[in-house]
C-alpha cells in the first residue's frame, strides 16, 4: 500500500456535484493498493495511521495521534500513487492492483480504520473533487513495503 497522509483542519469530497464526505480536524488519506498487498500490509497501515503522533500538543510539539485529538479520517482511493513515470510522458499504472482486488482491499482498510477513528470515504473508481485545508502543512508518505 502507498498512502499519503495529510493533517487537515477540514477536508471534503464531492462526487457529481454532491457532497459525499466531510471532516473537520483529522487526516486526509490518499490510498493506493498494490497487487501484492496483504492483510499484514493493511494491519501495519492501520496501526501506523491511528497511532502516528503528528498532531500538536499544548506545547506545540507533534506529540498526539488522530485518536488523541478525537479527529476523523477522510479516505480517498488513489491508484495513481502507483504511477510509473520512467518512460515517456504518459504515466503507466500497471503497478496498481486491479479494480476488483483494490476495491475490496480499500473497503477492508476503511472498515479496519473505523474500529479506531470515524472514517468518511469517497467512492472507489469515481471521479471525485477533493478539497482540503492542510494543517501545518503536514504531509507524510507511508509505503507498507518500505518498512
Amino acid at each position: 500500500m502507498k498512502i499519503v497522509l495529510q493533517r487537515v483542519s477540514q477536508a471534503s469530497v464531492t462526487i457529481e456535484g454532491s457532497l459525499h464526505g466531510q471532516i473537520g480536524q483529522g487526516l486526509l488519506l490518499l490510498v493506493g493498493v498494490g497487487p501484492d498487498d496483504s492483510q499484514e500490509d493493511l494491519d501495519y497501515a492501520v496501526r501506523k495511521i491511528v497511532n502516528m503522533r503528528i498532531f500538536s500538543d499544548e506545547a506545540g510539539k507533534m506529540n498526539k495521534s488522530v485518536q488523541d485529538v478525537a479527529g476523523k479520517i477522510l479516505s480517498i482511493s488513489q491508484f495513481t500513487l502507483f504511477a510509473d513515470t520512467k518512460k515517456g510522458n504518459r504515466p503507466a499504472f500497471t503497478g496498481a492492483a486491479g479494480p476488483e482486488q483494490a476495491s475490496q482491499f480499500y473497503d477492508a482498510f476503511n472498515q479496519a480504520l473505523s474500529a479506531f477513528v470515524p472514517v468518511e470515504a469517497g467512492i472507489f473508481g469515481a471521479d471525485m473533487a477533493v478539497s482540503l485545508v492542510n494543517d501545518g502543512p503536514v504531509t507524510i508518505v507511508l509505503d507498507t513495503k518500505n518498512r
Side-chain angles (χ1 to χ4, degrees):
M1 293 179 77
K2 294 182 181 184
I3 303 168
V4 175
L5 299 88
Q6 294 179 301
R7 188 178 78 184
V8 297
S9 57
Q10 63 184 30
S12 64
V13 59
T14 302
I15 301 171
E16 295 181 2
S18 296
L19 183 64
H20 186 76
Q22 181 175 3
I23 65 168
Q25 181 182 33
L27 296 172
L28 170 65
L29 305 180
L30 303 178
V31 182
V33 178
D36 298 331
D37 286 337
S38 66
Q39 186 65 43
E40 183 180 340
D41 293 293
L42 188 149
D43 294 341
Y44 174 79
V46 169
R47 185 174 60 254
K48 290 300 268 187
I49 290 165
V50 300
N51 292 303
M52 195 175 296
R53 298 184 317 177
I54 58 174
F55 290 87
S56 299
D57 63 14
E58 297 73 23
K61 184 176 179 180
M62 286 198 296
N63 206 24
K64 291 187 174 189
S65 71
V66 67
Q67 294 180 99
D68 295 333
V69 299
K72 296 182 180 181
I73 289 176
L74 176 59
S75 175
I76 305 295
S77 62
Q78 190 77 27
F79 75 94
T80 58
L81 291 174
F82 281 88
D84 181 353
T85 59
K86 292 178 187 161
K87 294 167 91 177
N89 293 317
R90 183 182 313 184
F93 302 105
T94 55
E100 186 175 324
Q101 176 189 358
S103 177
Q104 291 174 0
F105 200 87
Y106 172 69
D107 290 343
F109 171 70
N110 290 334
Q111 184 68 35
L113 278 173
S114 69
F116 301 96
V117 180
V119 175
E120 298 276 333
I123 296 176
F124 185 89
D127 187 1
M128 297 176 273
V130 179
S131 64
L132 70 131
V133 177
N134 201 332
D135 181 18
V138 175
T139 302
I140 295 172
V141 177
L142 175 65
D143 186 341
T144 63
K145 301 299 186 197
N146 241 358
R147 43 184 155 142

